[in-house]
Amino acid sequence: KLASWVSDDDPDPWLVPGTTVNLDYNPWCANPECTAQVVEVSNAAGLQAALDSASSGSTIRVNAGTYSQADAFTINTDGLTLILEDGVVIYNELASCFVVYADYTYILGASKAGARCRPGWSGSLLSGGHPGIYAPEAIHNFVLDGIEIDGSGLQTGAGIYLGGGGSDIQILNNYIHDLSFDGLMSPAILDGEELSGVVDIRGNLFQR
């Protein structure tokens, strides 16, 4: 992380004006007012804590590693961006990877299919499997880009389930595969209610 704040108008006796200084700080401000932040996380507890505490406009960078907890990672705050670095695996054995209630949510892979979501299941053949990404209510301005949703060897629901519908949805450049429950194929993308506005689904690879 780099910062340069020294100028001729505000001299510092230890720094040459205009120089750039290495900083190691987490979180750091994403705008001059510091109303939004960039946060790096490296474990499951840190990820959910960042989702719970981050203000709208913030970015959460998820470092490589496996992230698991009893419930899905839940997004309630509007305007959050998640960047999943290569080598990230989200796997909640009995839950979805993410449950999204918020608008203007962006879940982005640092590179195409470099991060994986492994959908969990309910623990009951009667209740079925969980979707990888689940939005129970209508959401607006949602982007999912560059993620692998991998159901291989699991009992899963849909890859992405927009249960409440919504508007302005972009599902781009994802690799969604091997989704099934009790021997029956599960859908890659499922909407429970009508989608409106811009619905952009392209660049994805779907495989059984």
Side-chain angles (χ1 to χ4, degrees):
K1 309 165 189 68
L2 301 175
S4 180
W5 67 90
V6 183
S7 70
D8 293 322
D9 298 327
D10 185 21
D12 186 298
W14 299 104
L15 297 173
V16 177
T19 57
T20 298
V21 179
N22 287 311
L23 298 177
D24 186 8
Y25 187 73
N26 182 38
W28 66 97
C29 295
N31 59 15
E33 298 78 19
C34 211
T35 56
Q37 296 180 321
V38 179
V39 184
E40 287 193 13
V41 299
S42 298
N43 56 56
L47 174 54
Q48 189 59 63
L51 291 170
D52 292 340
S53 63
S55 56
S56 181
S58 293
T59 296
I60 300 171
R61 302 189 69 95
V62 184
N63 291 322
T66 298
Y67 294 75
S68 298
Q69 62 179 18
D71 299 314
F73 293 100
T74 303
I75 303 172
N76 289 300
T77 301
D78 294 345
L80 295 185
T81 297
L82 277 72
I83 299 177
L84 308 185
E85 300 291 348
D86 291 358
V88 167
V89 178
I90 308 291
Y91 177 43
N92 303 314
E93 185 178 1
L94 299 177
S96 298
C97 297
F98 293 102
V99 174
V100 181
Y101 292 96
D103 298 332
Y104 294 92
T105 297
Y106 308 129
I107 303 175
L108 313 176
S111 67
K112 189 180 294 186
R116 280 195 298 162
C117 161
R118 299 270 286 157
W121 75 301
S122 64
S124 167
L125 291 176
L126 296 177
S127 299
H130 290 287
I133 311 294
Y134 180 34
E137 303 172 0
I139 58 172
H140 310 282
N141 295 94
F142 172 74
V143 178
L144 181 72
D145 189 345
I147 305 299
E148 178 183 1
I149 300 179
D150 174 14
S152 57
L154 303 174
Q155 301 273 18
T156 76
I160 304 156
Y161 182 26
L162 304 172
S167 64
D168 300 319
I169 306 295
Q170 297 182 69
I171 300 173
L172 311 170
N173 307 310
N174 301 288
Y175 177 33
I176 304 174
H177 62 98
D178 291 294
L179 303 174
S180 65
F181 187 82
D182 200 23
L184 300 176
M185 186 172 63
S186 299
I189 303 170
L190 182 64
D191 59 310
E193 300 289 343
E194 182 179 357
L195 300 176
S196 61
V198 175
V199 179
D200 189 1
I201 301 174
R202 59 186 166 88
N204 302 285
L205 175 61
F206 306 124
Q207 288 185 324
R208 297 184 62 176

